[in-house]
Amino acid sequence: MYRADYYEREGGGVRCKLCPHNCLINNGNYGICHVRKNIDGELISMNYGILSARNLDRIEKKPLYHFYPGRTIFSIGSVGCNLRCKYCQNHTIAQGDFSHVFERAGKTSPKTVVEQALRFMDDDNIGIAYTYNEPIIWYEYMRDIAVEAKKAGLKNVMVSNGYIEEGPLRELMEVIDAFSIDLKGYSEEFYKEITGSTLAPVKKTLEIIAKSNRHLEVEYLVIPGHNDDEVEFRKLMEWYRDRVGEGVPLHINRYFPQYRMTIDPTPVETLVKLFEIAREYVNHVYIGNVGLELGRDTICPGCGSRVIERRYEINYSGAVGGRCYRCGRELEGEGYE
Ligand code: SF4
């Protein structure tokens, strides 16, 4: 059993300080995430060492379009989540009671994960991505792997909802090289009703990472009737430009019915409209989960040249050395060849 970090004893229980839920957990109970448990006054990370998935993915699948484009990354996930999104895309590993998993699952040490990642170096692997379910709630395991990965010269990528307290986030930023963060909406009502959390901490996470030298890209899943209002989206974009930065790439993604949400998929016209609004504020905007030509390639903000083409293969020959082949403008991101 692995004792968790970031908690304090309080009354007869323990107060978890990892994410903004700040759960007060009595002996024998779990926090909201269903993976951190009070056992005799100690907070235990029950999913430490447990992997639900491991794959070699394209880095574009995270999605990161400006971080080592065209390369691959060894991607791992565990179980549980600190949010309750009604449309959860990975609910089989993210939502529910995992106590049966904790009893039976084998454990993989951080060193073994790194050894597995290193086996893929001939397949263009750049490192390890913490993804599939929410890695915040396997914080200690992710951090211990990331420390080992750094020693081995690997990159660390975190794909996250950003719902984390500032202290653990800053500790993590010492070893995570790139973040792909979900911004799920732009109202507290949306976050409360659809995700069971709050917006303000996610905005703070984005602002903290944006001010650092870590790579950041942001995802926005468009759910019809819930977060597709153009006036609200424009307010989001104003904040994004001012507090996150016009140079941080934004991915606008199409929603499909999943888990407890049954409304129809996002109309393509809605994606196009929000894309056009976002382009007024952000240098690089993409449309995902739909086969559109619009919002697929990387266009140089300086001269309008197509510098990275994403078809079945990734053609990044127009971004040699991280600069536009035509006008020489430096492109956002890193890892260009
Ligand atoms: S990480 Fe889990 S236990 Fe800790 S505050 Fe968040 S939901 Fe609660």
Side-chain angles (χ1 to χ4, degrees):
M1 288 199 301
Y2 193 97
R3 197 163 69 90
D5 294 340
Y6 295 108
Y7 76 93
E8 292 170 359
R9 294 213 171 92
E10 184 176 318
V14 296
R15 173 81 66 185
C16 179
K17 300 285 190 78
L18 176 57
C19 92
H21 284 308
N22 279 192
C23 301
L24 181 61
I25 311 168
N26 289 325
N27 190 24
N29 291 343
Y30 289 93
I32 288 171
C33 55
H34 291 305
V35 297
R36 293 166 89 79
K37 184 177 185 183
N38 178 345
I39 300 180
D40 297 332
E42 306 278 11
L43 187 62
I44 303 298
S45 172
M46 299 297 288
N47 56 356
Y48 191 101
I50 294 177
L51 292 178
S52 64
R54 57 192 111 184
N55 296 296
L56 187 69
D57 289 337
R58 268 195 166 156
I59 190 80
E60 281 78 10
K61 204 175 161 190
K62 300 301 105 189
L64 291 177
Y65 279 15
H66 290 252
F67 190 74
Y68 293 83
R71 304 287 295 275
T72 62
I73 190 152
F74 184 60
S75 303
I76 58 172
S78 184
V79 292
C81 190
N82 54 350
L83 267 56
R84 292 286 169 269
C85 299
K86 290 181 177 169
Y87 54 83
C88 182
Q89 312 284 304
N90 289 318
H91 58 92
T92 54
I93 58 167
Q95 306 293 338
D97 176 2
F98 296 101
S99 47
H100 60 292
V101 176
F102 305 143
E103 284 163 19
R104 294 185 211 142
K107 304 282 169 65
T108 307
S109 74
K111 277 201 165 105
T112 300
V113 174
V114 172
E115 283 165 14
Q116 291 173 353
L118 287 169
R119 285 184 208 141
F120 291 104
M121 300 317 278
D122 289 342
D123 299 300
D124 255 354
N125 181 29
I126 61 163
I128 301 173
Y130 310 94
T131 178
Y132 303 135
N133 79 314
E134 177 51 55
I136 289 170
I137 52 104
W138 36 292
Y139 182 92
E140 295 82 3
Y141 186 40
M142 168 174 53
R143 182 202 55 205
D144 292 353
I145 298 168
V147 168
E148 290 299 324
K150 277 260 146 229
K151 285 185 204 161
L154 297 173
K155 298 289 180 191
N156 288 305
V157 167
M158 182 182 182
V159 181
S160 173
N161 59 37
Y163 201 63
I164 185 171
E165 289 284 15
E166 182 173 346
L169 171 64
R170 290 197 183 276
E171 185 191 339
L172 208 52
M173 285 168 61
E174 291 174 19
V175 286
I176 300 292
D177 300 282
F179 292 85
S180 172
I181 304 286
D182 275 339
L183 179 58
K184 293 171 185 284
Y186 199 61
S187 74
E188 289 293 355
E189 293 72 29
F190 175 91
Y191 261 80
K192 185 173 175 203
E193 189 202 327
I194 304 294
T195 77
S197 66
T198 53
L199 167 63
V202 180
K203 287 170 73 179
K204 189 172 176 186
T205 291
L206 288 169
E207 292 180 17
I208 289 170
I209 300 171
K211 279 198 197 108
S212 74
N213 60 356
R214 298 312 194 207
H215 182 73
L216 172 64
E217 299 190 26
V218 178
E219 292 179 70
Y220 190 84
L221 187 74
V222 184
I223 303 168
H226 288 283
N227 63 1
D228 60 348
D229 180 78
E230 291 176 24
V231 174
E232 187 176 273
F233 188 73
R234 197 171 278 283
K235 282 190 194 142
L236 184 167
M237 284 294 101
E238 284 169 8
W239 166 81
Y240 191 102
R241 176 198 58 203
D242 296 344
R243 306 301 293 265
V244 179
E246 62 180 11
V248 175
L250 175 68
H251 300 259
I252 294 173
N253 292 328
R254 190 182 199 195
Y255 144 92
F256 287 94
Q258 280 281 354
Y259 193 40
R260 293 181 172 152
M261 191 163 265
T262 55
I263 54 176
D264 288 342
T266 324
V268 170
E269 313 84 71
T270 305
L271 297 169
V272 170
K273 188 68 208 164
L274 297 189
F275 171 87
E276 285 168 352
I277 293 172
R279 284 285 292 118
E280 295 176 33
Y281 299 89
V282 182
N283 291 346
H284 296 286
V285 185
Y286 301 99
I287 301 180
N289 290 354
V290 61
L292 287 182
E293 197 170 315
L294 184 73
R296 179 183 59 190
D297 298 337
T298 297
I299 308 298
C300 172
C303 69
S305 297
R306 201 169 296 269
V307 289
I308 303 180
E309 293 181 346
R310 297 182 183 85
R311 309 286 188 270
Y312 181 71
E313 294 291 333
I314 313 292
N315 178 358
Y316 46 91
S317 59
V320 180
R323 290 185 179 276
C324 170
Y325 74 99
R326 180 168 287 167
C327 73
R329 182 192 184 279
E330 192 172 349
L331 298 167
E332 287 82 353
E334 65 181 87
Y336 300 93
E337 289 179 0

